[in-house]
Amino acid sequence: MPDRNLVRCLLASAAMSIAGVAGTIQTRTLAITHIGVVDVAAGRIVTNSTVTIAGDTISSVDQNGAPPAGAQVVDGQGKFLIPGLWDMHAHVQVNEKGWLPLYIANGVTGIRDMGADLDFILDIRQATASGRVLGPRIVAAGPILDDAPGDWPFRIRVRTPDEGRAAVQLLKRRGIDLIKVHNFTPRDVFFAIVDEARRQQIPVAGHVPLKVTIPEGVDAGMVTIEHMSEGGRVWKACSGGDQYRPDACRPFFERLAHRRVWQTPTLVALSELAVIGTPASAISRDQLAYASKAFLEMHAANQGFFVKQPEIVDIMKNLADVAKVVTRDMAAAGVGILAGCDAMIAGFCVHDELAAMVAAGMTPQAALQTATINPARYLGREMTLGTIAVGKSADLVLLDGNPFEDIANVRRIRAVVSAGRFLDRAALDRLLVQAKAAARRIRPTRTPPTECSARNGPGLH
């Protein structure tokens, strides 16, 4: 675990480095005028609107309205305003604090961190929430609860039901938002964790453990399943084998929808795990320029494994292709889908994930919902997040193009409002410059090893 004082020093350094960019929450009322407000729920654009922000809250949304007297005015003529995006499967600690600006520069104003050392994630969550460090809102799982190989990072080892219950109680006391289980959570420990989490009123998410069937994980009360639970276990369970059978799976998908078991498919991570950093990867050199040495070393280790077993690369490519179709079919059946990245390049990967969903057959509106209103619904924060309305948090992204016409327009960011802070294009570009410099300059306090063992090779977090 990183030294607590060193983590605080890193956060203080981050605060100083962004001071010239972030400023503070608006002291003057901010009004964005003549803007097309994107209603992600209804799939419509409310044209010629004025959105007014007081502090860190949206105070009015008026079509054909005028800005309040004395407000700082941003002319949104010809542009579009969407809610801030969420990455619902992040791992901040892979690059320490260095990637926090990348989230904001890409319009990602919230993340669900799915595995980190406890003191690290609590410190960084508080730092971004207080405004001391510019970064996204953080919903945190803290350490993963399982009995994985000893070199796997971000874990509390739990080998018995009593250890599982004690770990849940500890994480609840420390203020963690959810419990994450993984492939190697022992079967009896998993059921004890879920039972204790229910008592503690804290949700359980993650991988369905390998010793637990997918239906058992659903019935136990898991609220999200990540990565199709690796290897396509979610759709293989209802298909009765390795060949995806849509008709056979539809009743199961409808059951997932009825039980409100959300899915975070991480389509880009599934496609890229075996190839990132090679000519077969779709991740651009521009994105990789923001990767830290630890990130590059982690994926280089993966490639060292895959180059010796090319047949596994073909299997994973097929699984990734099927996952795209399954995600589309799940969404059509009413299953809640969440955009998440896992160990990809922060911020940029959310846009890649939305593009992958649309390429699979989802509409731009449905894809955009996976990073806006769906996270709000999943988190139970619809009153404050997910749409543009009075009383909601001022997390907004100003776009140069209509996202319903082309999901690629979500990348065309003109400005971001993060918890009331307004950052124009020049400020966002400075964040990108700082993030790229940090990637070259800063080594993490430790290099997180890839999730690799003789039992199943490189895996997803």
Side-chain angles (χ1 to χ4, degrees):
M1 182 176 293
D3 180 81
R4 189 176 180 88
N5 290 328
L6 179 56
V7 170
R8 286 173 174 160
C9 289
L10 286 169
L11 292 175
S13 174
M16 289 187 290
S17 71
I18 65 171
V21 174
T24 58
I25 292 176
Q26 300 296 128
T27 55
R28 292 171 59 193
T29 297
L30 174 69
I32 304 173
T33 61
H34 307 111
I35 191 72
V37 171
V38 178
D39 185 336
V40 294
R44 66 191 182 112
I45 307 294
V46 184
T47 59
N48 195 37
S49 295
T50 295
V51 177
T52 305
I53 296 162
D56 60 356
T57 304
I58 298 171
S59 56
S60 67
V61 181
D62 296 312
Q63 191 171 24
N64 304 316
Q72 175 188 348
V73 176
V74 175
D75 186 0
Q77 183 70 45
K79 304 191 184 306
F80 301 83
L81 196 65
I82 63 171
L85 303 171
W86 278 73
D87 177 352
M88 293 298 285
H89 193 120
H91 289 282
V92 173
Q93 196 169 352
V94 171
N95 283 273
E96 299 290 351
K97 52 83 183 175
W99 273 0
L100 294 176
L102 276 186
Y103 288 111
I104 301 302
N106 281 280
V108 179
T109 58
I111 64 172
R112 185 180 63 149
D113 189 280
M114 292 298 284
D117 292 328
L118 183 56
D119 286 340
F120 173 89
I121 199 62
L122 291 177
D123 281 348
I124 210 163
R125 185 183 68 178
Q126 192 279 331
T128 58
S130 68
R132 182 162 52 91
V133 168
L134 179 64
R137 302 176 188 275
I138 297 175
V139 172
I144 299 164
L145 305 187
D146 72 355
D147 189 22
D151 63 342
W152 286 22
F154 315 142
R155 278 164 164 78
I156 293 176
R157 263 57 189 203
V158 287
R159 298 176 176 86
T160 69
D162 285 346
E163 289 180 351
R165 290 182 184 277
V168 172
Q169 293 165 9
L170 167 67
L171 295 178
K172 174 69 174 183
R173 286 196 305 272
R174 294 294 303 275
I176 283 300
D177 300 297
L178 70 151
I179 301 297
K180 183 178 179 184
V181 293
H182 209 279
N183 294 345
F184 294 112
T185 306
R187 178 181 172 85
D188 57 344
V189 178
F190 167 77
F191 288 109
I193 287 170
V194 174
D195 180 66
E196 187 61 35
R198 188 178 296 111
R199 294 170 185 267
Q200 299 292 334
Q201 297 184 320
I202 186 168
V204 176
H207 301 219
V208 178
L210 297 176
K211 298 296 185 181
V212 176
T213 68
I214 297 297
E216 284 177 327
V218 171
D219 289 342
M222 292 185 69
V223 294
T224 62
I225 296 175
E226 312 299 304
H227 322 297
M228 305 285 174
S229 215
E230 286 198 70
R233 290 178 63 210
V234 167
W235 56 262
K236 287 179 181 179
C238 53
S239 296
D242 291 344
Q243 188 71 33
Y244 174 50
R245 297 170 55 212
D247 290 343
C249 283
R250 184 170 181 85
F252 180 61
F253 295 167
E254 291 173 347
R255 179 181 166 200
L256 291 176
H258 178 72
R259 294 290 298 268
R260 295 181 63 82
V261 182
W262 297 77
Q263 303 294 311
T264 317
T266 62
L267 297 176
V268 173
L270 291 174
S271 297
E272 288 289 335
L273 178 65
V275 298
I276 189 170
T278 75
S281 172
I283 304 298
S284 70
R285 287 183 178 274
D286 287 343
Q287 286 193 32
L288 288 174
Y290 296 96
S292 70
K293 186 172 182 179
F295 178 92
L296 296 173
E297 288 176 349
M298 179 180 71
H299 283 291
N302 281 352
Q303 306 323 318
F305 172 87
F306 289 120
V307 74
K308 300 173 185 176
Q309 303 192 55
E311 69 282 1
I312 294 181
V313 177
D314 293 336
I315 291 170
M316 293 185 68
K317 181 180 184 304
N318 179 67
L319 287 171
D321 290 342
V322 175
K324 294 174 183 176
V325 178
V326 173
T327 299
R328 177 201 66 195
D329 292 350
M330 282 184 168
V335 178
I337 307 296
L338 301 170
C341 292
D342 203 4
M344 295 291 108
I345 307 295
F348 295 103
C349 61
V350 174
H351 299 280
D352 295 338
E353 189 75 7
L354 301 186
M357 291 179 182
V358 172
M362 292 174 65
T363 66
Q365 179 193 356
L368 187 57
Q369 287 177 341
T370 70
T372 53
I373 194 170
N374 284 8
R377 289 169 173 164
Y378 161 77
L379 294 168
R381 299 186 186 182
E382 290 178 82
M383 296 299 293
T384 58
L385 298 171
T387 59
I388 300 172
V390 174
K392 296 204 172 186
S393 298
D395 293 340
L396 304 165
V397 186
L398 189 66
L399 304 176
D400 284 336
N402 185 341
F404 291 157
E405 292 180 353
D406 186 345
I407 197 64
N409 284 333
V410 181
R411 300 181 191 265
R412 298 175 59 196
I413 297 172
R414 180 55 46 188
V416 172
V417 181
S418 175
R421 292 178 172 87
F422 179 79
L423 296 98
D424 62 13
R425 185 64 258 173
L428 298 176
D429 288 340
R430 289 195 294 273
L431 289 179
L432 292 173
V433 170
Q434 291 174 4
K436 190 177 291 187
R440 293 193 300 265
R441 183 177 65 248
I442 298 174
R443 285 185 65 89
T445 55
R446 66 172 177 157
T447 300
T450 181
E451 293 200 356
C452 179
S453 75
R455 285 188 276 181
N456 79 331
L460 295 157
H461 299 268

